[in-house]
Amino acid sequence: MKVTKIKIGRRSFIKSSTLTTGGIMLGFNWLMSCDMTPQQINALPKEWFKINGFLKIGENGLVTIMSPNPEIGQNVKTSMPMLVAEELDIDWDNVIVEQAPLNTSLFKRQIAGGSQSIRQGWNSLRMAGATARVMLIKAASKSWGVPENEITTSMGQLIHSISGKTLSYGEVASLASKMEVPKEISLKDPSEFKIIGTSRKNVDGSKIVIGKPLFGIDYKKENMLIAMIVHPPAFGMQLKLIDDSKASKMPGIERVFIMKTHESGYKLGAFDNDAFNDLAVVVGRSTWEVMQAKKVLLIEWEMAPAKTEELSFFGKNVTVDTPAGLESTQDHKEIFEEMSKKKGKVVRKDGNPAAAFKNATKVIEKSYTCPFLAHNTMEPMNFFADVSDEKAILIGPIQTPEYMEQSVSKRLGMSIENIDIQMTRMGGGFGRRLYGHFLTEAAVISKEMKQPIKLIYSREDDMTQGTYRPSYHVSYRAALDKDNNLIAFHVKAGGIPESPIAANRFPAGAVENYIAEEWTRSSNITVGAFRAPRSNFIAGVEQAFLDEVAEAAGKDPIDFRLELLAIAENKPIGKNNDYEAKRYAGVLKLVKEKASWNNNNNPQVFRGVAAYFCHNSYVANVLDMVMKNGKPVVEKVYCAIDCGIVVNPDAAINLAEGGVVDGIGHAMYSAITFKDGAPEQNNFHNYRLIRHGESPKKIEVHFVKNNIDPTGLGEPPFPPIMGALANALYQATGVRHYNQPFSAYES
Amino acid sequence: MSNFKLSINGKNKEVEADPKTPILWILRDHLDLVGTKYGCGIAQCGACTVHLDGVAVRSCQLPVSVIGNKKITTIEGLSEKGDHPVQKAWIEHDVPQCGYCQAGQIMNASALLNSNPNPTDNDIDSAMRGNICRCGTYTRIHAAIKTAAKS
């Protein structure tokens, strides 16, 4: 048996009463009651014994495991507690999962972002379970008077096989909670896993299907008022003054006022995105009444000046310029034209690209663009706030509670100890709820009203607020020699306001002469991380371009990639290549096999392939397209993934399926465009999301089996499918698509 | 403000509201039935789907004044114990990711099966087209509807 000895950060496992102190418990009962089914409530123990911050055990053997991270649909509320349960050695059916509140002293990195929850929680969560198991063994050892090393455990039972004695965890939970926390701990070898690697259903599934109030927007408290905001209709504008003479007299309206999300001089943090700092606020008794009052509120807007701000990005100061003016999509196209002709900033260079291009037999050159995108979580932005002079209780959907706690603390001038943030299940995240301005706004409104409020953005407020996926432009050049070898590769990538380049990713490392350039142009349209930031565009276009290069070289697109990856694996070129060529090739080989790539004998099926590495995981796709009534239809997608150990296979498949559908949808249909600073889309009648019937008829997901510690899965399945889609479309229609969304450019 | 008597999930309810108030907000704000979700407010996403006399309707576009004595069923009242065949199929296929749209999806799917117990793939595609799932669980929704149709 291989065991891993790990020194533990004891702070997390020291028995803590923090969970029961007033601040943290307030409002928590509501969330807890939502977390339980009636059956669970009936089976509740009389008493809970806290073993550590992650878990408590009831006298009847029921175990409550706290899920530390925010749940946005990536299913960490099930998979993170599975890690604890594995090492605790408990029957999963006896586990109740509770969403932990924000508690930075107990839990590390309570963030939903970067596909990092499982990766970064892998050791600490297993150690929480293992620590508790050792304490239970110590307790049994004491009550039986036998040495600890004679005691084993199995599914919630302590066993002394020499004497034949057994005890349930519940029977010694009280004693275990008083045991010393071990200083060192052994973790299971993957071959011993009983829970990890088995499919467990979403712990909230049975509540979701009966409409339990799980989401932030569902939260209610007595005397709570509803607040909504009005933000400027265009980027480059700001609020000048309001005339609320009509609005404040509307039925159900309590107050109409102007608020500042941040006071002047406030140094914005990384997640304080504020497209519009001054907002009109309408507060009333019901959502519908507030919506009606908003319609009759008269607001005068004015042009916003250009500004230069110093932001604090994770301790680093960054200066950001925001230009004045009203931008249009046409202006952005002209910027793309202009900037793509200029030299960019060289971020990587291997060999002598200029000479190689000069000596090339063939040069392939293509450019690609994509629009801004709105995240459009199905649950619009919202947050509950109850702020008094002494404390602030904030409940709702947020991906970055740790950061927003600091923001609210600064904004309210209140110490962090008096701020209590509770995380609800989120109706989607996709990066949008990393930027918690709505949480700060809710706190400011509640403070002003001296009353609990729930702030709700309408769909229109949400979609036109900004925080968009940036608009990007990428140009590629590839040089082939007379034997059709790829001898040079040139990528120039830019965007408004950031570049999507990842200069050290494939095909860097596989091409003798390589150059990567980037450029940026500032804008007053605000942007934010959107599922697989930057990769969500550059993956697809790189893979579409490689398809075109393979075609020019007269090579099979998978073989062409595998040849390059063999170079990257055996004779890597340059430094800092940030991918493992072998694992990259591994997913391509797996998808090739599963899709029977070499045996597609059906002339009606048109296939596209793509592969990408981002957020520490490798994904390859084969997309099968058929033409029905002259229209391309995605019949089937094969998806091969290497994300290390898969914790909850069926849920992982679900997430990968979602990534595939999401990628096809955004590449095909979605865009935010601008006219005079105003977004031209504001709801789902003019912003197209993929719909039922447009998603693949079948998605087959295969995982590479290995014992590598788990990496990310929320983001990696999303980017490459856009390339597979473009490549299949070309096979089916003979037309290559260079601009997203593809549907807008269809003839 | 007017007084309305409504039949919701087999129970009689009385509310004071502006006659134009959509049933969505009557349910959510007046009656604490928050399983029905707000997604777009313009009948484009399906998150607010409820049954009116067994037929799927978008509650965000349905003023309280037009209900009369028609019976409203929400996700909370689809079944007493959460064991409607569609709900069971949703659990079997572990459909939800974020879960926000699923009440609307389930209400739409159960109305479809009421009127068409054995829908074809095309029937499902066209009936479910009005319900957006941002997480992209469509293939599971589709499979779950087929499972529910069989039971």
Side-chain angles (χ1 to χ4, degrees), chain A residues 229-287:
Chain A
I229 55 99
V230 186
H231 63 63
F235 295 90
M237 298 190 94
Q238 64 186 18
L239 190 150
K240 188 179 178 192
L241 51 93
I242 62 172
D243 172 358
D244 68 332
S245 51
K246 262 192 192 165
S248 54
K249 292 194 188 78
M250 291 284 282
I253 299 307
E254 296 279 326
R255 259 187 80 189
V256 179
F257 59 96
I258 295 174
M259 68 164 279
K260 285 185 183 299
T261 307
H262 302 109
E263 302 278 16
S264 60
Y266 177 95
K267 195 179 211 176
L268 294 175
F271 298 114
D272 283 331
N273 190 340
D274 72 332
F276 308 115
N277 191 53
D278 294 8
L279 303 167
V281 182
V282 180
V283 185
R285 287 193 289 271
S286 75
T287 317

Coordinates of all heavy atoms in Angstrom, one line a residue, chain A residues 229-287:
Chain A
I229 N -31.9 48.9 -9.7 CA -31.1 50.0 -10.1 C -31.4 50.4 -11.6 O -31.9 49.7 -12.3 CB -29.5 49.8 -10.0 CG1 -29.1 48.5 -10.8 CG2 -29.1 49.6 -8.5 CD1 -28.5 48.7 -12.1
V230 N -31.0 51.7 -11.9 CA -31.0 52.1 -13.3 C -29.6 52.6 -13.6 O -29.1 53.4 -12.9 CB -32.0 53.2 -13.6 CG1 -32.0 53.5 -15.1 CG2 -33.4 52.9 -13.1
H231 N -28.9 51.9 -14.6 CA -27.6 52.4 -14.9 C -27.6 53.1 -16.3 O -28.6 53.0 -17.0 CB -26.6 51.2 -14.9 CG -26.8 50.1 -15.9 ND1 -26.8 50.3 -17.3 CD2 -27.1 48.8 -15.7 CE1 -27.1 49.2 -17.9 NE2 -27.3 48.2 -17.0
P232 N -26.6 53.8 -16.7 CA -26.6 54.6 -17.9 C -26.9 53.6 -19.1 O -26.6 52.5 -19.1 CB -25.2 55.2 -18.0 CG -24.8 55.3 -16.6 CD -25.4 54.1 -15.9
P233 N -27.5 54.2 -20.2 CA -27.9 53.4 -21.3 C -26.7 53.0 -22.2 O -26.9 52.2 -23.1 CB -28.9 54.2 -22.1 CG -28.6 55.6 -21.7 CD -28.0 55.6 -20.3
A234 N -25.6 53.7 -22.0 CA -24.5 53.5 -22.9 C -23.2 53.6 -22.1 O -23.1 54.4 -21.2 CB -24.5 54.6 -24.0
F235 N -22.2 52.9 -22.6 CA -20.8 53.0 -22.0 C -20.3 54.4 -22.5 O -20.4 54.7 -23.7 CB -19.9 51.9 -22.5 CG -20.4 50.6 -21.9 CD1 -21.4 49.8 -22.6 CD2 -20.0 50.2 -20.6 CE1 -21.8 48.6 -22.0 CE2 -20.5 49.0 -20.1 CZ -21.4 48.2 -20.8
G236 N -19.6 55.1 -21.6 CA -19.2 56.5 -22.0 C -20.2 57.5 -21.4 O -19.9 58.7 -21.6
M237 N -21.2 57.1 -20.8 CA -22.2 58.0 -20.2 C -22.2 57.8 -18.7 O -21.8 56.8 -18.2 CB -23.6 57.9 -20.8 CG -23.6 58.1 -22.3 SD -25.3 58.2 -22.9 CE -25.6 59.9 -22.8
Q238 N -22.7 58.9 -18.0 CA -22.9 58.8 -16.6 C -24.1 59.5 -16.2 O -24.7 60.3 -16.9 CB -21.6 59.3 -15.8 CG -21.4 60.8 -16.0 CD -20.1 61.2 -15.4 OE1 -19.2 60.4 -15.1 NE2 -19.9 62.5 -15.3
L239 N -24.5 59.2 -14.9 CA -25.8 59.8 -14.4 C -25.5 61.2 -14.1 O -24.5 61.6 -13.4 CB -26.3 59.0 -13.2 CG -27.6 59.3 -12.7 CD1 -28.2 58.0 -12.1 CD2 -27.6 60.3 -11.6
K240 N -26.4 62.1 -14.5 CA -26.3 63.5 -14.1 C -27.3 63.9 -13.0 O -26.9 64.3 -11.9 CB -26.5 64.4 -15.3 CG -26.2 65.9 -15.0 CD -26.4 66.8 -16.3 CE -26.1 68.2 -16.0 NZ -26.6 69.1 -17.1
L241 N -28.6 63.7 -13.3 CA -29.5 64.0 -12.2 C -30.8 63.2 -12.5 O -31.0 62.7 -13.6 CB -29.9 65.5 -12.1 CG -30.2 66.3 -13.4 CD1 -31.7 66.3 -13.6 CD2 -29.7 67.7 -13.2
I242 N -31.6 63.1 -11.4 CA -32.9 62.3 -11.6 C -34.1 63.2 -11.2 O -33.9 64.1 -10.4 CB -32.9 61.0 -10.8 CG1 -32.8 61.3 -9.3 CG2 -31.8 60.0 -11.2 CD1 -33.1 60.1 -8.4
D243 N -35.2 63.0 -11.9 CA -36.5 63.6 -11.5 C -37.4 62.4 -11.1 O -37.9 61.7 -11.9 CB -37.0 64.4 -12.7 CG -38.4 64.9 -12.4 OD1 -39.0 64.6 -11.3 OD2 -39.0 65.5 -13.3
D244 N -37.5 62.3 -9.7 CA -38.3 61.2 -9.2 C -39.7 61.5 -8.8 O -40.4 60.8 -8.1 CB -37.6 60.5 -8.1 CG -37.5 61.4 -6.8 OD1 -37.6 62.7 -7.0 OD2 -37.5 60.9 -5.7
S245 N -40.2 62.7 -9.3 CA -41.5 63.2 -8.8 C -42.6 62.2 -9.1 O -43.5 62.0 -8.4 CB -41.8 64.6 -9.5 OG -41.6 64.5 -10.9
K246 N -42.5 61.5 -10.3 CA -43.5 60.5 -10.6 C -43.2 59.2 -10.0 O -44.1 58.6 -9.4 CB -43.6 60.3 -12.1 CG -44.6 61.1 -12.8 CD -44.7 60.6 -14.3 CE -45.6 61.5 -15.1 NZ -45.4 61.3 -16.6
A247 N -42.0 58.8 -10.1 CA -41.6 57.4 -9.7 C -41.8 57.2 -8.2 O -42.3 56.2 -7.8 CB -40.1 57.2 -10.1
S248 N -41.5 58.2 -7.4 CA -41.6 58.0 -6.0 C -43.0 58.0 -5.5 O -43.3 57.6 -4.4 CB -40.7 59.0 -5.2 OG -41.1 60.3 -5.6
K249 N -43.9 58.4 -6.4 CA -45.4 58.4 -6.0 C -46.1 57.1 -6.5 O -47.2 56.9 -6.3 CB -46.1 59.6 -6.5 CG -45.6 60.9 -5.8 CD -46.6 62.0 -6.1 CE -46.0 63.3 -5.6 NZ -45.0 63.9 -6.5
M250 N -45.3 56.3 -7.2 CA -45.9 55.1 -7.7 C -46.3 54.1 -6.6 O -45.6 54.1 -5.5 CB -45.0 54.4 -8.7 CG -44.7 55.2 -10.0 SD -46.1 55.0 -11.1 CE -45.8 53.4 -11.8
P251 N -47.3 53.3 -6.8 CA -47.7 52.4 -5.7 C -46.6 51.5 -5.2 O -45.8 51.0 -6.1 CB -48.8 51.5 -6.3 CG -49.1 52.1 -7.6 CD -48.1 53.1 -8.0
G252 N -46.5 51.3 -3.9 CA -45.5 50.4 -3.4 C -44.1 50.9 -3.3 O -43.2 50.2 -2.8
I253 N -43.8 52.2 -3.7 CA -42.5 52.7 -3.7 C -42.1 53.4 -2.4 O -42.9 54.2 -1.9 CB -42.3 53.6 -4.9 CG1 -42.5 52.9 -6.2 CG2 -40.9 54.3 -4.9 CD1 -41.8 51.6 -6.4
E254 N -41.0 53.0 -1.9 CA -40.6 53.6 -0.6 C -39.6 54.8 -0.8 O -39.8 55.8 -0.2 CB -39.8 52.5 0.2 CG -40.7 51.3 0.6 CD -41.5 51.6 1.9 OE1 -41.0 52.4 2.7 OE2 -42.6 51.1 1.9
R255 N -38.7 54.6 -1.7 CA -37.7 55.7 -1.9 C -37.0 55.5 -3.3 O -36.8 54.5 -3.8 CB -36.6 55.7 -0.9 CG -36.8 56.7 0.2 CD -35.6 56.7 1.1 NE -34.5 57.5 0.6 CZ -33.3 57.6 1.1 NH1 -33.1 56.9 2.2 NH2 -32.4 58.3 0.6
V256 N -36.6 56.7 -3.8 CA -35.9 56.8 -5.1 C -34.7 57.6 -4.8 O -34.8 58.7 -4.2 CB -36.7 57.3 -6.2 CG1 -35.9 57.4 -7.5 CG2 -38.0 56.5 -6.4
F257 N -33.5 57.2 -5.1 CA -32.3 58.0 -4.8 C -31.1 57.7 -5.7 O -31.2 56.7 -6.4 CB -31.9 57.9 -3.3 CG -31.6 56.5 -2.8 CD1 -30.3 56.1 -2.7 CD2 -32.6 55.7 -2.4 CE1 -30.0 54.8 -2.3 CE2 -32.3 54.4 -1.9 CZ -31.0 54.0 -1.9
I258 N -30.1 58.5 -5.6 CA -28.8 58.2 -6.3 C -27.8 57.6 -5.4 O -27.7 58.1 -4.3 CB -28.3 59.5 -7.0 CG1 -29.2 60.0 -8.0 CG2 -26.9 59.2 -7.6 CD1 -28.8 61.4 -8.6
M259 N -27.2 56.6 -5.8 CA -26.1 56.0 -5.0 C -24.8 55.9 -5.7 O -24.7 55.9 -6.9 CB -26.4 54.6 -4.5 CG -26.5 53.6 -5.6 SD -26.4 51.9 -5.0 CE -24.7 51.7 -4.7
K260 N -23.7 56.0 -4.9 CA -22.4 55.8 -5.5 C -21.9 54.4 -5.0 O -21.8 54.1 -3.8 CB -21.4 56.8 -5.0 CG -21.6 58.2 -5.6 CD -20.5 59.1 -5.1 CE -20.6 60.5 -5.7 NZ -20.6 60.6 -7.2
T261 N -21.6 53.5 -6.0 CA -21.1 52.2 -5.6 C -19.9 52.3 -4.8 O -19.7 51.7 -3.8 CB -20.9 51.3 -6.9 OG1 -22.1 51.4 -7.7 CG2 -20.6 49.9 -6.5
H262 N -18.9 53.2 -5.3 CA -17.7 53.5 -4.5 C -17.6 55.0 -4.4 O -18.0 55.7 -5.3 CB -16.5 52.9 -5.2 CG -16.6 51.4 -5.5 ND1 -16.8 50.9 -6.7 CD2 -16.5 50.4 -4.6 CE1 -16.8 49.6 -6.6 NE2 -16.7 49.2 -5.4
E263 N -17.1 55.4 -3.2 CA -16.9 56.8 -3.0 C -15.6 57.2 -3.8 O -14.8 56.4 -4.1 CB -16.6 57.1 -1.5 CG -17.7 56.7 -0.6 CD -18.9 57.7 -0.5 OE1 -18.9 58.6 -1.3 OE2 -19.7 57.5 0.5
S264 N -15.5 58.5 -4.1 CA -14.3 58.9 -4.9 C -13.1 58.7 -4.0 O -13.1 58.8 -2.8 CB -14.5 60.3 -5.3 OG -14.6 61.2 -4.2
G265 N -12.0 58.2 -4.6 CA -10.8 57.9 -3.9 C -10.7 56.5 -3.5 O -9.7 56.0 -3.1
Y266 N -11.8 55.7 -3.7 CA -11.8 54.3 -3.4 C -10.9 53.6 -4.4 O -11.0 53.8 -5.6 CB -13.2 53.7 -3.5 CG -13.3 52.2 -3.2 CD1 -13.6 51.7 -2.0 CD2 -13.2 51.3 -4.3 CE1 -13.8 50.4 -1.8 CE2 -13.3 50.0 -4.1 CZ -13.6 49.5 -2.8 OH -13.7 48.1 -2.7
K267 N -10.0 52.8 -3.9 CA -9.1 52.0 -4.8 C -9.7 50.7 -5.2 O -9.9 49.8 -4.3 CB -7.7 51.8 -4.1 CG -6.7 51.4 -5.1 CD -5.4 51.2 -4.3 CE -4.2 51.6 -5.2 NZ -2.9 51.5 -4.4
L268 N -10.1 50.6 -6.4 CA -10.8 49.4 -6.9 C -9.9 48.1 -6.8 O -8.8 48.2 -7.1 CB -11.3 49.5 -8.3 CG -12.4 50.6 -8.6 CD1 -12.7 50.7 -10.1 CD2 -13.7 50.3 -7.8
G269 N -10.5 47.0 -6.4 CA -9.8 45.7 -6.4 C -10.1 45.0 -7.6 O -10.9 45.5 -8.5
A270 N -9.5 43.8 -7.8 CA -9.6 43.0 -9.0 C -11.1 42.7 -9.4 O -11.4 42.5 -10.5 CB -8.8 41.8 -8.9
F271 N -11.9 42.6 -8.4 CA -13.3 42.1 -8.7 C -14.3 43.2 -8.4 O -15.5 42.9 -8.2 CB -13.6 40.8 -7.9 CG -12.7 39.7 -8.2 CD1 -11.8 39.2 -7.3 CD2 -12.7 39.2 -9.5 CE1 -10.9 38.2 -7.7 CE2 -11.9 38.1 -9.9 CZ -11.0 37.6 -9.0
D272 N -13.9 44.5 -8.4 CA -14.8 45.6 -8.1 C -15.3 46.2 -9.4 O -15.7 47.4 -9.4 CB -14.1 46.7 -7.3 CG -14.0 46.3 -5.8 OD1 -14.8 45.6 -5.4 OD2 -13.0 46.7 -5.2
N273 N -15.2 45.6 -10.5 CA -15.6 46.1 -11.8 C -16.8 47.0 -11.6 O -17.9 46.7 -11.2 CB -16.1 44.8 -12.6 CG -16.4 45.2 -14.0 OD1 -16.6 46.3 -14.4 ND2 -16.3 44.2 -14.9
D274 N -16.6 48.3 -12.0 CA -17.7 49.2 -12.0 C -17.9 50.0 -13.2 O -17.3 51.1 -13.4 CB -17.5 50.2 -10.8 CG -16.4 51.2 -11.0 OD1 -15.5 50.9 -11.8 OD2 -16.5 52.3 -10.5
A275 N -18.6 49.5 -14.2 CA -18.9 50.2 -15.4 C -19.5 51.6 -15.1 O -19.2 52.6 -15.6 CB -19.8 49.4 -16.3
F276 N -20.4 51.5 -14.2 CA -21.3 52.7 -13.9 C -21.3 52.9 -12.4 O -21.9 52.1 -11.7 CB -22.7 52.5 -14.4 CG -22.7 52.1 -15.9 CD1 -23.2 50.9 -16.2 CD2 -22.3 53.0 -16.8 CE1 -23.3 50.5 -17.6 CE2 -22.3 52.6 -18.2 CZ -22.8 51.4 -18.6
N277 N -20.6 53.9 -11.9 CA -20.4 54.0 -10.4 C -21.7 54.7 -9.8 O -22.1 54.3 -8.7 CB -19.2 54.8 -10.1 CG -18.9 54.8 -8.6 OD1 -18.8 53.7 -8.0 ND2 -18.7 55.9 -8.0
D278 N -22.2 55.7 -10.5 CA -23.4 56.4 -10.0 C -24.7 55.7 -10.6 O -24.8 55.6 -11.8 CB -23.4 57.8 -10.4 CG -22.2 58.6 -9.7 OD1 -21.4 57.9 -9.1 OD2 -22.2 59.8 -9.8
L279 N -25.5 55.3 -9.7 CA -26.7 54.5 -10.1 C -28.0 55.2 -9.5 O -28.0 55.7 -8.4 CB -26.7 53.1 -9.7 CG -25.4 52.3 -10.1 CD1 -25.3 51.0 -9.3 CD2 -25.5 52.0 -11.6
A280 N -29.1 55.1 -10.3 CA -30.4 55.5 -9.7 C -30.9 54.2 -9.0 O -30.8 53.1 -9.6 CB -31.3 56.0 -10.8
V281 N -31.5 54.4 -7.8 CA -32.0 53.3 -7.1 C -33.5 53.5 -6.8 O -33.9 54.6 -6.4 CB -31.3 53.1 -5.7 CG1 -31.8 51.9 -5.0 CG2 -29.8 53.1 -5.9
V282 N -34.3 52.5 -7.0 CA -35.7 52.5 -6.7 C -35.9 51.4 -5.7 O -35.6 50.2 -6.0 CB -36.6 52.3 -8.0 CG1 -38.1 52.4 -7.6 CG2 -36.3 53.4 -9.0
V283 N -36.5 51.7 -4.6 CA -36.8 50.7 -3.5 C -38.3 50.7 -3.3 O -38.9 51.7 -3.1 CB -36.0 51.1 -2.2 CG1 -36.2 49.9 -1.2 CG2 -34.5 51.3 -2.5
G284 N -38.8 49.5 -3.2 CA -40.3 49.4 -3.0 C -40.6 48.0 -2.4 O -39.7 47.3 -2.0
R285 N -41.9 47.8 -2.3 CA -42.4 46.6 -1.6 C -42.4 45.3 -2.4 O -42.3 44.2 -1.9 CB -43.7 46.9 -1.0 CG -43.7 47.8 0.2 CD -45.0 47.8 1.0 NE -46.0 48.5 0.3 CZ -46.3 49.8 0.3 NH1 -45.6 50.6 1.1 NH2 -47.3 50.3 -0.4
S286 N -42.5 45.5 -3.7 CA -42.5 44.3 -4.6 C -41.8 44.5 -5.9 O -41.6 45.7 -6.3 CB -43.9 43.8 -4.8 OG -44.5 44.6 -5.8
T287 N -41.3 43.5 -6.5 CA -40.5 43.6 -7.7 C -41.2 44.2 -8.8 O -40.7 45.1 -9.5 CB -40.0 42.2 -8.1 OG1 -39.6 41.4 -7.0 CG2 -38.9 42.3 -9.1

